Amino acid sequence: MIRAVLFDLDGVLTDTSEYHYLAWKRLADELGIPFDREDNEALRGVSRRESLVLLLKGRPATEEEMQEWMDRKNRYYVESISQMTPDNLLPGALDLLHELRENGYKTAIVSSSKNTPMVLERLNIANLMDTVVDGNAPARSKPAPDLFLLAAERLGVSPQECLVVEDAAAGIDAARAAGMRTLGLGPRERVGHADLVLPDLKGVHLSDLKPVLE
Ligand code: BG6
Ligand code: MG
């Protein structure tokens, strides 16, 4: 029996994954490193530092350079999210959150992003969460299970009682490693290893989630 639904943030509840891509793309262009949407798939869900390592494709860099590039990318990203409003919630997200809570499920955010507090504030959904675990937590990032396990602990539920909603391969890997059930959003090539796969949350209701909730 599922008692809690743990939502990834970027690319699940809001389209910030596009802003992350555009910010990395701008940095890559400035550094003269080829980088396209296909390369970006591997960055989905992973931490800022790991994303930079993937983007550099083995190009040598000092710690000082790495710091400057991560800060620069984050400035570009923060610039774009500072304009966000609740209208940036993806279709279906708010309805599903309300429906889950009305039916007694606990809800949480589990994101690798250190910018989670700001995005939640812009979207005005922090009050719909029983807990928020993000990239500021002193734990290993996805694909390690740590962030999801921390959320379950805070909610007082076992991993087997959690359903994770994710758009990233690394996120599904992390949830599975935690022993949780998974709903993957997006193409099968990316999240086909989830227990249930849907294109997105548009028009999704509790009844559609029956196979993974019971
Ligand atoms: C994840 C995103 O949620 O957070 C990644 O999917 C991003 O694209 C990661 O790199 C870290 O985000 P931030 O905001 O801490 O740089
Ligand atoms: Mg995501």
Side-chain angles (χ1 to χ4, degrees), residues 96 99 203-214:
L96 183 60
E99 202 182 351
V204 173
H205 292 282
L206 233 54
S207 50
D208 303 298
L209 302 184
K210 246 184 159 182
V212 277
L213 283 177
E214 286 176 356

Side-chain angles (χ1 to χ4, degrees), residues 10 20 43-48 51 73 111-115:
D10 299 321
H20 278 295
L43 275 59
R44 247 175 220 272
V46 304
S47 71
R48 195 179 304 172
S51 298
K73 180 269 172 177
S111 167
S112 301
S113 174
K114 294 187 194 319
N115 290 298

Side-chain angles (χ1 to χ4, degrees), residues 51-67:
S51 298
L52 177 60
V53 169
L54 291 169
L55 182 140
L56 289 173
K57 300 181 183 108
R59 174 182 156 148
T62 64
E63 177 56 29
E64 211 183 340
E65 284 174 321
M66 299 265 298
Q67 275 303 338

Side-chain angles (χ1 to χ4, degrees), residues 61-129:
T62 64
E63 177 56 29
E64 211 183 340
E65 284 174 321
M66 299 265 298
Q67 275 303 338
E68 197 269 309
W69 295 337
M70 286 189 286
D71 290 349
R72 206 195 301 176
K73 180 269 172 177
N74 195 52
R75 277 202 306 279
Y76 298 154
Y77 178 68
V78 168
E79 242 168 63
S80 44
I81 60 174
S82 63
Q83 303 303 321
M84 284 174 73
T85 71
D87 286 344
N88 288 90
L89 276 163
L90 282 167
L94 199 57
D95 284 351
L96 183 60
L97 276 169
H98 282 300
E99 202 182 351
L100 284 166
R101 293 178 66 83
E102 278 158 17
N103 284 274
Y105 291 94
K106 291 177 189 263
T107 51
I109 294 287
V110 181
S111 167
S112 301
S113 174
K114 294 187 194 319
N115 290 298
T116 297
M118 180 171 178
V119 174
L120 291 181
E121 192 191 307
R122 303 295 318 170
L123 296 174
N124 196 24
I125 52 166
N127 57 330
L128 295 177
M129 303 300 158

